[in-house]
Amino acid sequence: MHINALLFLALAGLTQLCSGHMHLHYPPTLKGENNPFTQGESDPYLNYNYGCCGREVPGPCKGHLDLVDTNEGKPVVTWSPGQKVNFTLSGSSTTDVKGGTHYGGSCSVGFSTDKGKSFKVATTWNGDCPHREGSIDPSTQSFDFTIPADLPSGDRTIFAWTWVNREKEFNMNCAVVTIAGSDGSQDPGGQPASSSAASKPSPTSSTVPKQSSAAPSQPLKSQSPEPPLQPTQTQPSSAQPTNSAQYTLEGCTCSCPYQTWSSACSCFECKSPTTKRHLIERKVLELHKRHVQNAEKLNVPVRRAEAVAWNSRPDMLLSIDFPGASCHSKGNPFELEFPDPGPDVVAGDGEYELATPDCT
Ligand SMILES: *[C@@H]1O[C@H](CO)[C@@H](O)[C@H](O)[C@H]1NC(C)=O
Ligand SMILES: [Cu+2]
């Protein structure tokens, strides 16, 4: 009796290790319950980690790649290169294996532009994915990332999400998306030129950030309706991509990244200690946005250059932590450190030490 009780507890503990998982909720996955193009029954096993619960290990995208070119594979969202977007995760379940966040893990998202033959990494989260503080409710599990600015356009591009948790469970779900336009403008050719474009500064002063550092003595007048857009300095490089522009405003030197121009600039070396730096940072961001938009209109190639070209990004790690996989993560108490995370990495919260997997 005593032994049986212990055995029972041990088994209960074991099953709890695999008591449930998460799946991609938004954008809606192939065969997802919330995908408007799903026909017939949705896949009740989207939550399951690969090899879970006596099920055969499916191919990429939970085995649903055959739907990509069918009516069930119609794109569920249109995203633009360079756009800041998000995905969400859910632990909702229609089986008796209930969902669970497993208090984190590591995630990676990427795209296939060849119908699932290859997947390249867009952004990697080393730890704290799903969010530890969140629940199985997708409203608590939203992750921002930026579509690589040079991701090719496509009607049926496959967005993929992968997850490896400390229980060494691997899951992968996919959604079909359309990649079109650039950063908000679906069709740059079809847009009427904005009237303000004519009053913008001349191309020579507005398009190419100057390489010289001789200009930082000229504060830009923020009161003028159209302040001259004058990035004064960029990273000194010729072959290297240009990843930030520098501006001088009200005695501060400010740096704005091209790739994430919509989020923030940082100012430093402000001449007066009483300068309200955060206000200047906001003004500079407006300048920077206009600079980037101008460059866009004039088709200047330097804007938001990617540190790594799309074609040179690493392949997503898809063979891990299932029977027959070529890699195995170290598991508890470590969280996976993706060995080839690509250029866009979100650092975790450090609650668990990171470890790379063992691969054969
Ligand atoms: C995620 O993106 C959707 C669609 O663009 C947007 O409506 C939503 O506000 C975003 N969520 C968060 C948390 O940023
Ligand atoms: Cu699980």
Side-chain angles (χ1 to χ4, degrees), residues 26 79 83-88 142 144:
Y26 175 87
W79 282 341
Q83 190 186 356
K84 195 177 166 193
V85 299
N86 62 60
F87 68 90
T88 67
S142 178
D144 292 334

Side-chain angles (χ1 to χ4, degrees), residues 26-75:
Y26 175 87
T29 67
L30 285 164
K31 229 41 186 170
E33 214 181 8
N34 62 336
N35 186 325
F37 304 115
T38 295
Q39 293 172 10
E41 259 188 75
S42 59
D43 181 349
Y45 305 111
L46 290 172
N47 267 348
Y48 283 33
N49 55 298
Y50 276 49
C52 165
C53 318
R55 294 185 57 79
E56 237 176 75
V57 174
C61 303
K62 272 281 153 75
H64 295 312
L65 282 175
D66 56 331
L67 296 178
V68 170
D69 278 324
T70 72
N71 284 338
E72 290 193 80
K74 284 185 182 156

Side-chain angles (χ1 to χ4, degrees), residues 134-147:
S135 67
I136 61 169
D137 186 318
S139 68
T140 67
Q141 296 291 353
S142 178
F143 294 81
D144 292 334
F145 71 104
T146 301
I147 308 288

Side-chain angles (χ1 to χ4, degrees), residues 294-315:
N294 273 3
E296 213 157 57
K297 283 198 187 97
L298 295 157
N299 233 348
V300 176
V302 304
R303 68 186 174 101
R304 270 163 289 146
E306 291 290 345
V308 176
W310 174 254
N311 278 331
S312 306
R313 282 178 179 248
D315 290 328

Side-chain angles (χ1 to χ4, degrees), residues 208-292:
V208 184
K210 295 201 174 93
Q211 298 288 337
S212 111
S213 53
S217 53
Q218 295 180 316
L220 301 172
K221 281 215 198 81
S222 61
Q223 290 84 357
S224 74
E226 289 291 341
L229 302 174
Q230 224 170 12
T232 53
Q233 186 183 21
T234 61
Q235 290 176 349
S237 64
S238 46
Q240 295 281 339
T242 305
N243 287 320
S244 70
Q246 286 197 7
Y247 300 83
T248 305
L249 186 65
E250 298 181 20
C252 294
T253 301
C254 305
S255 173
C256 304
Y258 274 111
Q259 201 190 324
T260 55
W261 60 278
S262 58
S263 55
C265 299
S266 48
C267 296
F268 40 93
E269 288 175 7
C270 295
K271 293 228 171 65
S272 152
T274 59
T275 304
K276 293 215 170 93
R277 195 194 304 182
H278 61 284
L279 289 181
I280 296 176
E281 284 177 345
R282 249 184 282 164
K283 282 187 196 170
V284 161
L285 179 60
E286 288 310 308
L287 286 180
H288 185 54
K289 281 184 182 173
R290 254 178 280 161
H291 164 66
V292 168

